[in-house]
């Protein structure tokens, strides 16, 4: 492992963008097993080259900037997906409403009958069945 450590000195290494590209490459490789397309094959190869190039790159600041750009796009998507998953998990115990005034999402416990809900954002009071 010592030679690898020496080799990696001053090189960028793995970041979130590289991991994402590796995942894309993996999906691409799986798809290649089903569709023997030359375009897909080229796409897979290009991604592999990009990943290897980025990991061993010595232009650390540029790779870092690329990763920041990627995270700026990826993080909101991840947050949205996590929110959706959380909602599905909560469906048994909670009911979701949208404030008719400010569109804020409100979560209330299920099975409490008719309750008045006050929007925490705009203070609008609604009567809803929970
Ligand atoms: Zn509101």
């Amino acid at each position: 492992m010592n030679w690898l450590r020496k080799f990696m000195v001053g090189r960028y290494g793995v970041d979130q963008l590289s991991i994402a590209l590796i995942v894309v490459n993996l999906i691409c490789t799986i798809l290649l097993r089903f569709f023997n397309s030359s375009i897909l094959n080229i796409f897979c190869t290009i991604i592999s080259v990009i990943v290897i190039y980025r990991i061993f790159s010595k232009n650390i600041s540029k790779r870092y900037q690329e990763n920041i750009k990627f995270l700026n796009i990826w993080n909101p998507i991840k947050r949205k997906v996590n929110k959706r998953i959380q909602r599905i998990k909560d469906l048994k115990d909670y009911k979701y409403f949208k404030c008719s005034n400010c569109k804020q999402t409100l979560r209330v416990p299920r099975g409490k009958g008719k309750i008045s809900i006050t929007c925490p954002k705009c203070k609008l009071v609604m009567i809803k069945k929970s």
Side-chain angles (χ1 to χ4, degrees), residues 81-91 96 107:
V81 170
N82 281 343
K83 237 180 175 174
R84 274 284 141 88
I85 293 169
Q86 191 55 46
R87 249 179 163 193
I88 291 164
K89 280 184 184 168
D90 280 355
L91 225 55
Y96 286 88
R107 192 183 76 166

Side-chain angles (χ1 to χ4, degrees), residues 99 101-102 104 119 121-122:
C99 173
N101 186 37
C102 71
Q104 166 85 23
C119 173
K121 209 170 159 189
C122 69

